[in-house]
Amino acid sequence: MNIIELNEVTKSYARGEEQLQILKGITLHIEKGDFVAIIGPSGSGKSTLMNTIGLLDIPSSGTYALDGVATQNMSDNGLAELRNRKIGFIFQQFNLLPRLSAIENVELPMIYAGIPTKQRKDQANFMLEKLGMGQRGHHKPSELSGGQQQRVAIARALAISPSLILADEPTGALDSKTGIEVLELIKELNQQGNTIVLITHDNHIADNAKRVVTLRDGEIIKDVRNEPLATLVAQEAVSS
Ligand SMILES: Nc1ncnc2c1ncn2[C@@H]1O[C@H](COP(=O)(O)OP(=O)(O)OP(=O)(O)O)[C@@H](O)[C@H]1O
Ligand SMILES: [Mg+2]
């Protein structure tokens, strides 16, 4: 079962008289439970593709079905509702609201989803604890380290049990040690069955995904599945 089905998706922007083509006919199908890294040079269209998958941007042409729901003729409200129900976002800059505490930040998507106060607060506390941030719930983002802020952002992304987690350079603003911790966390989420689409320009991070899609100039130029480590180890054992 595919959670994402993009068919011949294009995205263009008008610049004066010209049409600037950013995505040039992307066909991409992603299975439930997969962990896909999207790589490619700066300006190749990675974030545009992610915004499209995340229903933040509407394709100029082509079709997109998310979890079996065709999105091309939906209203803005319909798209927002689908997005709030199905997708958890993790951004490079965390995008936490500075005046809200960690708990309140995690509560936000649940407010949009109409979850009652008590249940929402319990769930926010539970998620923060799960991410090792149980002691920090009442802190404002400015009182937290980068790694801690990203944990709060991940707790927020997971609060509504999304079908799909979208991460745009989630370790880009972190030092390498904290980046590795966040990457491990994301791998764990995938092992628990979450579908992950992660944008990175770091090949080492992409090596941790199950599938790597390379964009260049708004086109997919490469799409490969990484061998699971266990298979490589087994092959090594046979050949030696
Ligand atoms: N709203 C917009 N209007 C016009 N052009 C845009 C818009 N958004 C993005 N672009 C252009 O689309 C191209 C792709 O941008 P995008 O942000 O998707 O690249 P990217 O692969 O994510 O790059 P980076 O690795 O630097 O984040 C760029 O040339 C950018 O200038
Ligand atoms: Mg980008």
Side-chain angles (χ1 to χ4, degrees), residues 199-215:
I199 290 179
T200 182
H201 57 249
D202 183 334
N203 285 327
H204 171 68
I205 290 178
D207 286 344
N208 285 274
K210 292 177 179 165
R211 178 181 171 192
V212 183
V213 173
T214 309
L215 278 189

Side-chain angles (χ1 to χ4, degrees), residues 13 20 22 40-49 169 201:
Y13 292 105
L20 222 55
I22 309 299
S42 182
S44 57
K46 302 183 298 296
S47 294
T48 306
L49 177 59
E169 301 274 4
H201 57 249

